[in-house]
Amino acid sequence: MIPNDPLVSTEWLAEHLSDANVRLLDATFKLPGILPLPKDDYLASHIPGAVYFDVDAVSDHSNPLPHMFPSAEQFGRDIGGLGISNGDTVVIYDSGSWVAAPRVWWMFLSYGHRDVRILNGGLKKWRAEGRPVESGEVKARAATFHASYDERRVRSIEQMIANVKSRAEQVVDARAADRFEGRAAEPRPGIRSGHIPGALNLPYNNLFDAATGTMKPLDELRKAFALAGVDTAKPIVTSCGSGVSAAVLTLALYRLGVENAALYDGSWSEWGKADGPAIATGPA
């Protein structure tokens, strides 16, 4: 195990599931239009005691872009409503497809809570091992959570536009190659196809084992970034379709010792708008 590894195993969670200060969140997320809804999946089957974290609900509702980071005040209020306080150990999981436990993990770090972990393999691995699940909704008793926003962990479109000129930070896009290269239509209507000029491409699903749902070993993660042309010794910003799967790259980098990468929150849902900045197509 690496020092300060954000990942915990199913064995660890089974041992600590009933600890008084462990709070478990099911953060499963799907693209719009995919059924059943992630909340319905949660209601049908989740790890005992898990509260559902709705990525769209814990977001800035004044912003038309999908699930943008909320204010620190709102995040604190929403997280407290999920029964989490600043003294708790937060463990996040998703279906096992890595959408969107890493996003929620990064949100907690961005709002000042460092005692947060991700279940390696998620619900997929938990169930494959025959571990217990339950149905229905877990209603948490409200707690008090104080949040403070660290803007260094997130990038705005203004910063990203400036970066196209300066190339001060490497931009690594987590979308599939056909979307990155502009050969496939975007799943959200009205969004152009292509990528941010100068960006590199590393599809997020290259970083985990589809059979087990677990993240690949560190040497394979390191190799994947190198093959994508990423220099992990230099500044990095991750991006994707809407700021969710980009966090899989952010998590992998964190595990490789790159703890200061940033995430472009608006991602392609913002940049790719019809009136957005210039785009590029083709391979990186």
Side-chain angles (χ1 to χ4, degrees):
M1 185 173 178
I2 66 173
N4 303 315
D5 194 345
L7 298 185
V8 294
S9 66
T10 49
E11 292 80 10
W12 183 94
L13 181 59
E15 292 174 5
H16 295 276
L17 197 58
S18 59
D19 288 7
N21 69 324
V22 169
R23 297 289 179 267
L24 188 60
L25 295 178
D26 183 322
T28 300
F29 172 81
K30 298 177 182 179
L31 285 170
I34 298 179
L35 299 174
L37 296 172
K39 178 64 177 289
D40 292 333
D41 286 342
Y42 162 82
L43 293 172
S45 179
H46 58 261
I47 298 175
V51 175
Y52 182 66
F53 184 104
D54 188 332
V55 172
D56 287 321
V58 187
S59 68
D60 180 1
H61 301 294
S62 68
N63 194 320
L65 293 169
H67 40 258
M68 295 288 283
F69 273 48
S71 66
E73 180 183 13
Q74 182 192 334
F75 187 81
R77 182 174 64 250
D78 290 348
I79 297 306
L82 296 177
I84 297 171
S85 68
N86 297 91
D88 289 329
T89 297
V90 179
V91 181
I92 308 159
Y93 74 89
D94 54 39
S95 65
S97 59
W98 293 93
V99 185
R103 161 77 179 199
V104 180
W105 161 78
W106 194 244
M107 290 180 77
F108 270 93
L109 289 182
S110 298
Y111 290 101
H113 191 78
R114 298 193 64 83
D115 193 2
V116 56
R117 303 290 184 268
I118 299 171
L119 178 63
N120 195 13
L123 185 62
K124 181 175 185 174
K125 188 170 189 290
W126 181 270
R127 296 193 67 167
E129 295 169 349
R131 300 187 187 275
V133 294
E134 64 182 14
S135 60
E137 186 164 15
V138 175
K139 291 289 189 179
R141 179 182 296 179
T144 299
F145 186 93
H146 296 289
S148 57
Y149 181 56
D150 182 358
E151 62 181 15
R152 295 172 300 177
R153 296 183 184 272
V154 181
R155 293 291 178 269
S156 66
I157 191 169
E158 292 80 13
Q159 291 171 308
M160 298 300 290
I161 290 171
N163 188 67
V164 170
K165 295 181 180 180
S166 71
R167 300 293 170 96
E169 297 178 314
Q170 302 164 96
V171 179
V172 190
D173 193 319
R175 292 176 300 154
D178 58 353
R179 289 175 62 190
F180 176 86
E181 295 176 10
R183 295 182 284 108
E186 284 296 302
R188 292 180 173 83
I191 301 298
R192 297 172 294 169
S193 297
H195 60 264
I196 297 171
L200 302 169
N201 185 215
L202 176 51
Y204 77 97
N205 58 338
N206 290 359
L207 302 180
F208 64 89
D209 184 327
T212 64
T214 56
M215 185 162 271
K216 290 181 177 179
L218 296 183
D219 59 339
E220 293 187 37
L221 298 180
R222 195 172 289 109
K223 182 179 179 180
F225 280 100
L227 288 174
V230 181
D231 184 346
T232 55
K234 296 180 179 178
I236 297 170
V237 180
T238 62
S239 182
C240 61
S242 65
V244 175
S245 59
V248 182
L249 274 58
T250 309
L251 170 64
L253 288 165
Y254 196 98
R255 299 189 70 230
L256 291 172
V258 184
E259 298 184 9
N260 60 347
L263 184 145
Y264 174 25
D265 193 22
S267 283
W268 198 247
S269 293
E270 183 174 39
W271 193 283
K273 289 192 300 183
D275 59 350
I279 64 173
T281 56

